[in-house]
Amino acid sequence: VVQEYERAVIFRLGRLISGGTKGPGLFFILPCIDVYIKVDLRTITFDVPPQEVLTKDSVTVLVDAVVYYRVSDAALSITRVEDWNKSTRLLAATTLRNVLGTKNLSEILSDRENISHRMQTSLDEATDPWGVQVERVEVKDVRLPVLMQRAMAAEAEAAREARAKVIAAEGEHKASRALKEAADIITQSPAALQLRYLQTLITISAEKNSTIIFPLPIDLLTGFSK
């Protein structure tokens, strides 16, 4: 008796019987003539150990991934390969190194979805003759050397500082243009300058109540300005 998720591959006097597999449920064998092997059809999750990979731009990184695969043809998994489980796992580790070796560091960090899809396609094509189907491949983590992390952090900080200086310069430019336009408008109306002066005094007195202010009439400064 085999379970719903299992199949029995039966050999009769060394030859695979017609039909290839039996199950699930009850089946009969001939003692001393038939030999059967149970094959599990459930999806297997394999955590690929961290692989040291040299990228296309000569950066050494440690990358690990997870692979989901299952047996799609029980007869092929027994007759075509000695150990389909071990072979698939070794092939997954090798494929991970081969695929990432053709990518730059920036592509590995930002384009994981396409890398995972390419790995799954390559693995599925290689394991299809073994009766194994690779369902999904995911790149879990990319670890960089400490020196590379510091260099990338310094580069990012410098880029942020450069953007901050550009933004500040643009703000100063816009503010100077706005002040020039305001000054042109105020010069056309002497009363506007007096009102602005009084508004500034109100603002100062509201912020610091202990400050003593002696208002100076604007008319006294008119002669000096001419």
Side-chain angles (χ1 to χ4, degrees):
V1 177
V2 293
Q3 304 298 325
E4 181 67 30
Y5 52 84
E6 293 178 332
R7 297 295 183 272
V9 181
I10 302 177
F11 295 91
R12 180 163 295 165
L13 297 178
R15 297 179 62 88
L16 186 66
I17 65 171
S18 60
T21 60
K22 295 292 184 179
L26 180 66
F27 65 96
F28 297 92
I29 62 172
L30 300 177
C32 302
I33 296 178
D34 293 344
V35 176
Y36 73 95
I37 302 173
K38 289 183 180 181
V39 179
D40 196 329
L41 302 183
R42 291 177 294 182
T43 300
I44 298 175
T45 304
F46 171 55
D47 194 359
V48 182
Q51 303 292 315
E52 190 172 3
V53 180
L54 184 64
T55 62
K56 188 177 180 180
D57 49 355
S58 301
V59 178
T60 303
V61 295
L62 283 176
V63 184
D64 55 356
V66 59
V67 181
Y68 300 88
Y69 60 97
R70 64 180 179 86
V71 174
S72 58
D73 192 320
L76 290 179
S77 67
I78 298 299
T79 58
R80 293 292 183 87
V81 62
E82 180 181 3
D83 189 343
W84 61 270
N85 196 3
K86 180 179 178 181
S87 300
T88 303
R89 296 187 177 197
L90 291 176
L91 185 61
T94 305
T95 304
L96 178 64
R97 291 194 299 269
N98 292 339
V99 171
L100 295 181
T102 61
K103 301 291 184 179
N104 295 325
L105 178 61
S106 58
E107 295 175 347
I108 296 175
L109 296 176
S110 61
D111 199 12
R112 294 189 182 184
E113 184 176 354
N114 290 336
I115 293 175
S116 299
H117 179 69
R118 181 178 174 184
M119 285 183 57
Q120 187 222 337
T121 303
S122 179
L123 275 173
D124 198 25
E125 291 178 354
T127 58
D128 187 63
W130 303 342
V132 177
Q133 180 182 358
V134 179
E135 297 179 339
R136 191 177 183 87
V137 178
E138 292 291 342
V139 177
K140 291 174 54 180
D141 189 21
V142 179
R143 280 172 283 182
L144 301 175
V146 178
L147 295 178
M148 179 59 65
Q149 293 179 12
R150 293 177 181 174
M152 293 179 66
E155 181 183 2
E157 184 178 359
R160 287 193 296 268
E161 290 180 356
R163 287 196 298 269
K165 291 181 180 179
V166 171
I167 294 173
E170 292 178 353
E172 291 290 339
H173 178 67
K174 293 180 180 179
S176 61
R177 293 182 60 182
L179 289 174
K180 180 180 180 301
E181 294 176 0
D184 293 339
I185 295 174
I186 290 176
T187 53
Q188 296 175 4
S189 176
L193 182 60
Q194 183 67 29
L195 292 175
R196 182 60 181 168
Y197 178 70
L198 294 175
Q199 184 179 4
T200 303
L201 294 179
I202 294 173
T203 304
I204 295 174
S205 62
E207 291 180 355
K208 296 182 180 180
N209 296 328
S210 61
T211 304
I212 300 175
I213 302 174
F214 295 95
L216 182 66
I218 300 299
D219 298 337
L220 296 179
L221 302 177
T222 305
F224 295 101
S225 63
K226 292 181 180 180

